[in-house]
Amino acid sequence: MTMNLPRMMIGVSLSVALFAGTGLATEPAEVEKFVKSRIEIGEMMTNYFKGGKGYGDGQRPSPEAMKEMGADINTKLSALLAKHDLTIEEYRQRSPEVFADEEAVNGYLNEHPDLKARYDALPLGSMKGGSTGRGY
């Protein structure tokens, strides 16, 4: 009986761990909403800076220009996310959690090859969960 007790404890522990892991899986509708949002944000940002204003040899825009660009980007970002019933704050808060479920994200992308191609074409590593940039 004493040999079976440790085995039973291990079995119960593994069962609890497996059950908890499946309970935390991201809902497919959430994955779809966040993947589509990330793709659209990446494409918007690419288009926004495509053929951007020339600031000269490596010069940065003025603080006023940076402030205007930030406001313009946030306005466009708010409109884009509103199509998915999200706010900027909700997206920033929840996206790390949703994209941490790589199995769900990859599963969704594999079911939608057109979206997968667009997702894979995102220009910045930060768009796909890197730690640099704003990490949209």
Side-chain angles (χ1 to χ4, degrees):
M1 179 73 176
T2 58
M3 281 189 142
N4 287 335
L5 184 60
R7 285 185 185 169
M8 286 192 329
M9 290 176 58
I10 290 172
V12 170
S13 298
L14 288 175
S15 298
V16 169
L18 290 174
F19 177 73
T22 58
L24 297 177
T26 309
E27 293 289 325
E30 290 290 296
V31 172
E32 177 181 9
K33 180 173 22 176
F34 280 83
V35 167
K36 286 182 175 180
S37 294
R38 181 168 281 181
I39 290 168
E40 291 175 20
I41 290 167
E43 292 170 346
M44 179 198 74
M45 296 300 283
T46 298
N47 291 333
Y48 189 86
F49 289 106
K50 185 182 285 183
K53 300 175 184 176
Y55 291 105
D57 298 316
Q59 292 179 348
R60 293 181 56 120
S62 68
E64 294 80 26
M66 290 287 285
K67 194 173 193 177
E68 289 174 18
M69 282 188 341
D72 187 36
I73 288 170
N74 281 339
T75 299
K76 290 177 183 193
L77 187 58
S78 292
L80 184 148
L81 290 172
K83 294 188 310 185
H84 300 285
D85 296 322
L86 291 168
T87 65
I88 292 174
E89 188 57 37
E90 288 171 325
Y91 181 82
R92 286 184 180 155
Q93 192 172 45
R94 294 269 337 276
S95 65
E97 171 190 327
V98 172
F99 288 102
D101 189 349
E102 291 180 25
E103 185 177 327
V105 171
N106 290 331
Y108 176 78
L109 289 170
N110 288 332
E111 292 174 7
H112 300 87
D114 55 326
L115 293 177
K116 182 173 178 30
R118 289 170 60 195
Y119 186 83
D120 289 341
L122 293 176
L124 302 174
S126 62
M127 288 297 302
K128 296 184 224 172
S131 62
T132 60
R134 294 181 75 159
Y136 292 111

